Amino acid sequence: MTTRPPLLLSADVLVIGGGLAGTWAAVAAAREGVRVVLAEKGFCGTSGVTATAGPGHWWVAPEQRQAAIDKRVASAAGLGDPHWMARILETTWHTLPSLDRLYHFPRNEQGEKQYRALRGPEYMGAMRQLAVEHGVTLLDHSPALELLKNDAGELAGARGLQRQQQRDWQVQAPAVVLSTGGCAFHSRLLGSQNNTGDGYLMGVEAGAELSGMEFSSYYCIAPANSTMTRSMVYTFGRYFDAGGRELAIAQGPDFNLSLARALLEGPVYCRLDRIPDDIRKRLPYVQPNLMLPFDRSGIDPYRDRFPVTLHGEGTVRGVGGLRLIDEHCQTRLPGLFAAGDAASREAVTGAISGGGAVNSSWALSSGQWAGRGAARHARQHPAGTVRTHGIARVGLLPVGAQRDDSAALIRTVQDEMHPYDKNLFRNGEQLQRSLDALDNAWDRLREQSRTRDTPARLRWRETAAMLATARWCYGSALARKESRGMHQRSDAPGQSADFDVHLHSGGLDAPWVRRSGLSERSDTRSGATA
């Protein structure tokens, strides 16, 4: 139980989440001349999936952009929007060179700076420094637990825990950016342990809704018993069964499906002997931690076979998230904005994963758009001292002494969301069985009346967020009775024109899904607010 007095702050913009999207949002808002507080569950600059990666970006010269957009639209299964794609290409093109002072970009043999790929640890270190230079107040190790509203029902900030100081915090702010990342359901995806769907839960409780949650079945290859999910090198891999027979694992969009089918039959081994020499030389620079699991195990991946697995990425490299209603990345609740993996990426990825490059550019771009939009909203609705109240509806329970079975509920979520034969290879009957199990777990969550201590408050809130996210994912998957992009159903194998729609979702005790025509995308270009 916390015993110290709470930390009370006021700001114009509160950013929740300090990864790539959150730091860009905080910097963009501060550049508009408003007061910004950023609250991060871990340590801003080291937390999140970018900090552990070698993120590429969708970096395309102006004269090549139309071809890049056309290619992306063609692969988006009818759900991409070229207007949004053009926006992130333009924003990425102008933004990355602005980091020259804080990040050392390499040069090619012609002496030209190479902006496309960055080293995650140094990238996020630079973003933390940039935020500090712009006067952003950083609250590290300070997970947000719930959003606040005032007596008029308007957004008024958030509150949470400062774990190291063992105290609560509260920030009053008329504008909030949710940049909390996606949800990988504790799948051991590298850098995703903090990504538990917190922003989705807070947003829905406040009145926002989600979109594209059915596109949540992306998996990433890694050495078995490792979290090192860096997929690029595996496109050069050769794959074998336990007897040494080479397997026909298809490269390209069906790679995960082919590998998962093989893994369901038994162990699969990989050898990376086909990686070109020039890429081998660059790997220590671009992905410096890639070789760690091999070095620790005494494996030469270019010569030796090693076992591999697939880790579920959920909505991290999936598509779904909070629905945006305008070009400033605002949600349905005035003053509440979303960026990065916390927001739906359907407009820029369609029904397929944005992978590393498009997702990184989306985080960089949507963070800045949301930060500027939040600053504009704050100027129009100046902060004042108002009476506020928390709006959390689940997982924030009175402190007491009752058995904590949150771990059992998390296992239930994982039992439904991790297996390939449930999430990757979908069908209506299995989706319904999984939803029934998740609904029962939700009822057990609701029956829990007390938590044990301060850490349990965060644990229960994360449990509620993961459980809610799983129900939204499978509820939307059940409603989309076709196969499109990463959403594949054996009982509905073809893509249907009847589902040339977005599926919006929400609700807590009674989750719902509704269709939305593609024409609604044009509303976001005109600044519509509903």
Side-chain angles (χ1 to χ4, degrees):
M1 180 184 297
T2 57
T3 56
R4 298 181 59 190
L7 173 67
L8 303 177
L9 299 173
S10 63
D12 299 303
V13 174
L14 169 62
V15 178
I16 302 178
L20 184 57
T23 49
W24 276 119
V27 169
R31 284 173 172 167
E32 297 294 315
V34 301
R35 298 170 300 153
V36 182
V37 172
L38 185 153
E40 161 58 32
K41 189 187 288 190
F43 183 84
C44 176
T46 66
S47 183
V49 292
T50 298
T52 61
H57 287 75
W58 200 20
W59 173 262
V60 182
E63 64 274 13
Q64 300 170 338
R65 285 182 197 164
Q66 191 57 54
I69 292 170
D70 290 345
K71 181 178 179 180
R72 193 76 199 181
V73 169
S75 64
L79 300 184
D81 187 332
H83 170 71
W84 280 81
M85 296 178 189
R87 291 185 72 207
I88 71 167
L89 286 172
E90 179 72 7
T91 301
T92 302
W93 185 258
H94 289 287
T95 297
L96 288 177
S98 72
L99 288 175
D100 262 339
R101 181 176 57 84
L102 299 174
Y103 183 93
H104 177 69
F105 291 96
R107 295 180 182 271
N108 63 13
E109 295 178 353
Q110 290 73 41
E112 301 167 329
K113 287 191 177 180
Q114 301 299 291
Y115 293 106
R116 186 187 309 273
L118 290 84
R119 300 175 302 281
E122 293 155 76
Y123 188 5
M124 289 309 304
M127 290 308 303
R128 181 184 178 94
Q129 182 177 344
L130 196 61
V132 170
E133 289 178 356
H134 282 79
V136 176
T137 299
L138 299 178
L139 304 181
D140 293 310
H141 305 292
S142 299
L145 295 180
E146 63 178 334
L147 296 176
L148 304 174
K149 287 187 176 181
N150 60 26
D151 289 341
E154 299 166 330
L155 186 67
R159 63 185 172 203
L161 301 171
Q162 285 201 297
R163 292 184 294 175
Q164 293 183 332
Q165 291 82 2
Q166 286 292 291
R167 65 180 178 183
D168 293 341
W169 61 263
Q170 178 170 308
V171 177
Q172 283 196 8
V176 175
V177 178
L178 291 173
S179 51
T180 49
C183 182
F185 307 104
H186 284 175
S187 68
R188 301 188 73 228
L189 172 69
L190 186 62
S192 74
Q193 190 67 13
N194 283 345
N195 293 165
T196 51
D198 308 348
Y200 305 149
L201 179 59
M202 286 188 281
V204 169
E205 287 174 330
E209 62 186 21
L210 303 149
S211 186
M213 297 299 285
E214 66 272 30
F215 303 117
S216 54
S217 55
Y218 193 87
Y219 286 73
C220 191
I221 188 172
N225 302 314
S226 167
T227 63
M228 195 57 64
T229 48
R230 296 290 164 256
S231 59
M232 183 274 289
V233 297
Y234 292 96
T235 61
F236 299 99
R238 290 197 291 157
Y239 298 89
F240 307 85
D241 64 15
R245 181 175 62 92
E246 187 164 357
L247 301 172
I249 303 293
Q251 294 297 332
D254 292 330
F255 173 77
N256 283 343
L257 293 172
S258 296
L259 179 56
R261 290 190 186 99
L263 285 167
L264 288 171
E265 297 295 324
V268 175
Y269 297 81
C270 176
R271 186 166 63 215
L272 299 176
D273 54 345
R274 294 192 296 195
I275 297 181
D277 288 340
D278 61 326
I279 293 180
R280 295 189 193 188
K281 293 176 182 177
R282 291 174 54 202
L283 281 176
Y285 175 83
V286 177
Q287 296 185 342
N289 55 7
L290 175 70
M291 300 299 290
L292 287 177
F294 302 119
D295 293 341
R296 290 169 178 167
S297 303
I299 293 172
D300 180 352
Y302 306 128
R303 182 192 64 198
D304 304 328
R305 291 199 298 262
F306 56 93
V308 294
T309 188
L310 285 168
H311 291 306
E313 301 212 23
T315 64
V316 174
R317 280 206 206 184
V319 175
L322 292 164
R323 183 171 80 89
L324 309 179
I325 65 162
D326 64 21
E327 292 191 342
H328 305 290
C329 298
Q330 186 169 233
T331 70
R332 290 181 66 236
L333 177 67
L336 183 62
F337 300 78
D341 294 348
S344 174
R345 283 135 284 160
E346 287 170 292
V348 293
T349 70
I352 66 170
S353 173
V358 176
N359 279 2
S360 294
S361 287
W362 169 252
L364 171 155
S365 301
S366 63
Q368 293 181 79
W369 302 332
R372 286 195 291 267
R376 185 184 70 168
H377 180 89
R379 286 195 298 267
Q380 296 171 345
H381 303 81
T385 302
V386 295
R387 189 171 66 175
T388 62
H389 55 89
I391 60 173
R393 292 175 52 191
V394 290
L396 278 185
L397 309 169
V399 175
Q402 183 167 325
R403 183 173 63 88
D404 181 355
D405 64 348
S406 59
L409 295 180
I410 291 174
R411 284 194 299 273
T412 298
V413 172
Q414 293 175 318
D415 287 345
E416 303 306 323
M417 300 305 296
H418 288 181
Y420 317 140
D421 53 352
K422 292 182 180 180
N423 194 8
L424 192 55
F425 303 107
R426 295 171 166 177
N427 66 74
E429 291 183 359
Q430 178 56 59
L431 289 168
Q432 187 60 64
R433 285 194 295 270
S434 291
L435 278 170
D436 291 343
L438 294 169
D439 287 345
N440 289 336
W442 186 263
D443 290 340
R444 299 204 308 273
L445 175 78
R446 281 300 208 180
E447 291 169 0
Q448 182 77 16
S449 60
R450 295 182 183 275
T451 59
R452 191 183 305 276
D453 51 24
T454 294
R457 293 170 63 197
L458 175 59
R459 187 164 58 249
W460 271 103
R461 189 63 168 160
E462 290 179 333
T463 302
M466 281 193 285
L467 182 49
T469 301
R471 295 166 84 214
W472 291 319
C473 288
Y474 275 172
S476 296
L478 185 62
R480 186 173 284 279
K481 298 177 181 178
E482 63 158 1
S483 293
R484 184 184 297 253
M486 73 173 71
H487 168 69
Q488 295 292 309
R489 285 181 53 164
S490 61
D491 58 342
Q495 183 172 315
S496 169
D498 291 341
F499 285 93
D500 288 343
V501 296
H502 296 296
L503 295 184
H504 298 167
S505 55
L508 294 171
D509 292 328
W512 52 264
V513 180
R514 68 174 177 85
R515 296 188 182 201
S516 173
L518 300 184
S519 61
E520 280 197 20
R521 289 191 307 217
S522 61
D523 295 342
T524 65
R525 304 182 194 180
S526 59
T529 57

